[in-house]
Amino acid sequence: MFRKAFACGLCVALVAAVFAVPAQADDALRDQVREIVKEEMAAKNGLRAYWKNGLRLDSADKKFKLKLGGRVMLDWSWYDSDDFEDRGVPEADVEDGVEFRRVRLYNSGLIYDNVEYKVQLDFADVPDVEFRDVYIGLTNLEDCLGCLFPDVRVGHFKMPVGLDELTSSKYITFMERAGIMQAFAPARKTGLMLHDSLRGDQLGYQLAYWGPGTSGDDVNFNFDDGEAFGARIWWAPWYDCECTCNRAHVGVSYATYSNLDGKRFRARPPTHITSRFVNTGTIADVEEYYTLGFEAAVVYGPWSLQAEYMIAEVDSAAAGDPTFSGWYVYLSYWLTGECRPYKKGVFSRVKPCCNFLDNECCCTGAWELKARYEFLDLEDGNIDGGEQTSITVGVNWHLNPNTRVMLEYFLTTVDGTPAGYDADPNTMGTQTVTFDDDDISGVQMRFQV
């Protein structure tokens, strides 16, 4: 009883002290008193609620942490596709449109300091609701089991292939990831992963096992449907501790897939509303295949340069054991002086130097110019899945750390006779079209919170 009375009395006294501080007193003293009040209230009530790029609740001892968040991305696209229509591509496959690219809600947290979890669902394809990150993990294990003991994660999450793929859609520079990510990266699968970052986030690794999933279902799988193993190692050889805007990254990933009935590789232009025009179709009798990827990135103040190269080698005698490949490189520049933050082998949230309409309505937010060139080759052996080259240029406007508008122009050239591109973006089409360096271009915008 005495302890409770004392705690309540202390809080009352501190609150009174805050209001008793003269207006001309030092602001630092006010902030210090307020923090003491917050800590006392948190200790009394169990959880402290606050905003940090999402609603967060933490216990006083930091052993329990909860976060609520989500994202909304609305895309508008307009296309010029005369070449494609002349080749017999249906107008519906290149039709102007608007779509909710992502509508997600999530809850993540830390339980008893060592158990992490996340449940993220996507409502963009209503009435269907799809899993995104849904996992459980063990973390901070090095505190008790040694400094080299890795974290463990099991569930549905991003597998360790591709820097562009592993960077969150909230933070990627372009509206759509490069074609090699669409064609070769597994994205989210159900599996198990060991991972850790070392030397203050300068070095890290990820080792994973997952099921390949099937078309339209990458959440549940049977072991007879196949399996995959993958690893990724990354290193930041230039890691300026005094300047977060000076970073260099290199990485390599390897994944092997076995016990498969078949496999197809495909990709869209750098937009999501169109169909996939380069497509190998389903390659039968695939015993196994592997992918190998190389990553590199440099951040030097407002300049950012990033590139990746990937190959996929397929073991299929009937298809002539084809090898597919692709790469991209892009450059971006922040007109307002920001830079891309780097954390644990990926890039993270950009915080404008001055949020839109702050500082007596004078701030304009953060502005980024960007340009990317990419190439994807799905022709080899007995497979003609087509070749695709894309150029994308644009500008990103970050109003604040949680809001941005993206504007892009892209030009894509397709060559070859894909073995039946996707006439329906959600199913495998059967239409065959021969492309001869034919172009599709477009302008698109994204409104994101």
Side-chain angles (χ1 to χ4, degrees):
M1 180 65 73
F2 174 76
R3 293 180 61 186
K4 290 184 178 180
F6 177 77
C8 292
L10 178 60
C11 288
V12 171
L14 289 171
V15 171
V18 171
F19 289 99
V21 174
Q24 66 271 23
D26 185 42
D27 290 339
L29 177 60
R30 285 177 174 271
D31 294 340
Q32 185 177 5
V33 173
R34 289 192 182 101
E35 286 300 319
I36 296 174
V37 172
K38 289 180 181 179
E39 292 177 3
E40 288 297 328
M41 295 301 292
K44 179 182 177 182
N45 297 327
L47 291 175
R48 179 174 70 94
Y50 63 101
W51 175 269
K52 185 179 179 182
N53 301 316
L55 179 60
R56 302 187 183 219
L57 298 95
D58 293 352
S59 64
D61 59 6
K62 303 297 184 181
K63 289 188 176 182
F64 297 86
K65 298 180 180 181
L66 301 177
K67 183 177 180 180
L68 302 175
R71 70 196 71 173
V72 177
M73 299 179 184
L74 178 62
D75 293 358
W76 299 64
S77 302
W78 299 268
Y79 304 120
D80 180 359
S81 56
D82 291 343
D83 285 359
F84 278 34
E85 293 175 11
D86 292 343
R87 292 291 179 184
V89 173
E91 184 178 350
D93 289 355
V94 288
E95 194 171 16
D96 304 343
V98 178
E99 72 166 346
F100 279 98
R101 182 68 173 90
R102 297 175 180 91
V103 181
R104 298 182 186 174
L105 295 175
Y106 78 86
N107 167 229
S108 63
L110 183 69
I111 303 173
Y112 288 104
D113 197 40
N114 297 117
V115 178
E116 64 171 356
Y117 75 92
K118 187 173 184 179
V119 178
Q120 180 178 233
L121 304 177
D122 196 319
F123 299 86
D125 294 326
V126 290
D128 296 331
V129 178
E130 298 183 356
F131 276 23
R132 287 300 179 255
D133 290 322
V134 182
Y135 61 77
I136 302 169
L138 299 178
T139 188
N140 300 324
L141 301 180
E142 67 276 5
D143 295 342
C144 294
L145 302 178
C147 61
L148 297 180
F149 206 92
D151 291 347
V152 182
R153 180 175 297 174
V154 61
H156 191 255
F157 51 88
K158 288 283 186 72
M159 295 301 147
V161 177
L163 173 60
D164 198 26
E165 182 62 49
L166 292 173
T167 300
S168 170
S169 62
K170 296 184 293 184
Y171 315 136
I172 55 177
T173 303
F174 295 84
M175 288 175 57
E176 297 299 325
R177 296 180 172 91
I180 59 171
M181 298 295 108
Q182 301 178 46
F184 305 136
R188 290 177 174 86
K189 299 292 182 183
T190 299
L192 169 70
M193 182 169 70
L194 306 179
H195 62 105
D196 199 4
S197 60
L198 310 169
R199 299 187 62 188
D201 288 350
Q202 288 186 262
L203 180 68
Y205 66 89
Q206 299 160 296
L207 305 173
Y209 164 84
W210 66 92
T214 57
S215 179
D217 179 13
D218 59 358
V219 176
N220 306 315
F221 67 95
N222 296 321
F223 290 107
D224 291 341
D225 292 336
E227 58 186 357
F229 295 89
R232 176 175 179 255
I233 301 174
W234 54 266
W235 175 41
W238 182 33
Y239 196 91
D240 190 338
C241 296
E242 297 181 358
C243 180
T244 59
C245 291
N246 292 339
R247 295 286 187 269
H249 164 96
V250 292
V252 60
S253 65
Y254 175 84
T256 177
Y257 305 76
S258 57
N259 301 324
L260 304 172
D261 291 332
K263 175 61 183 176
R264 64 179 172 183
F265 302 90
R266 54 184 183 165
R268 290 184 174 91
T271 182
H272 190 257
I273 298 179
T274 66
S275 297
R276 300 175 177 93
F277 300 109
V278 287
N279 195 328
T280 63
T282 300
I283 305 174
D285 301 322
V286 176
E287 297 181 8
E288 62 180 359
Y289 78 94
Y290 76 83
T291 62
L292 179 64
F294 300 93
E295 314 164 3
V298 176
V299 174
Y300 183 65
W303 292 96
S304 180
L305 178 67
Q306 180 172 314
E308 291 189 76
Y309 172 77
M310 293 188 72
I311 64 171
E313 186 166 302
V314 183
D315 183 3
S316 172
D321 295 330
T323 298
F324 309 121
S325 63
W327 56 273
Y328 75 84
V329 60
Y330 81 72
L331 179 70
S332 74
Y333 176 74
W334 292 89
L335 296 172
T336 44
E338 290 79 6
C339 66
R340 298 177 70 205
Y342 178 82
K343 184 178 180 180
K344 295 185 178 181
V346 296
F347 289 97
S348 58
R349 185 187 306 275
V350 172
K351 298 180 180 179
C353 297
C354 186
N355 292 337
F356 179 57
L357 295 185
D358 276 359
N359 193 18
E360 298 181 351
C361 301
C362 294
C363 291
T364 62
W367 291 82
E368 179 187 22
L369 300 179
K370 58 187 181 180
R372 180 176 67 189
Y373 184 90
E374 58 178 294
F375 175 72
L376 177 62
D377 181 3
L378 298 181
E379 294 182 346
D380 195 48
N382 302 328
I383 303 298
D384 184 358
E387 294 181 349
Q388 178 172 288
T389 302
S390 296
I391 299 173
T392 307
V393 295
V395 59
N396 296 336
W397 177 30
H398 294 245
L399 285 75
N400 53 58
N402 297 89
T403 310
R404 69 175 174 175
V405 178
M406 308 173 76
L407 174 64
E408 295 178 358
Y409 168 82
F410 73 88
L411 172 64
T412 295
T413 302
V414 181
D415 186 66
T417 308
Y421 74 86
D422 254 355
D424 182 329
N426 299 311
T427 62
M428 182 59 195
T430 58
Q431 181 163 349
T432 299
V433 175
T434 298
F435 296 101
D436 184 11
D437 292 333
D438 294 306
D439 295 334
I440 176 175
S441 60
V443 175
Q444 55 189 4
M445 293 186 68
R446 171 170 295 170
F447 301 88
Q448 171 182 323
V449 174

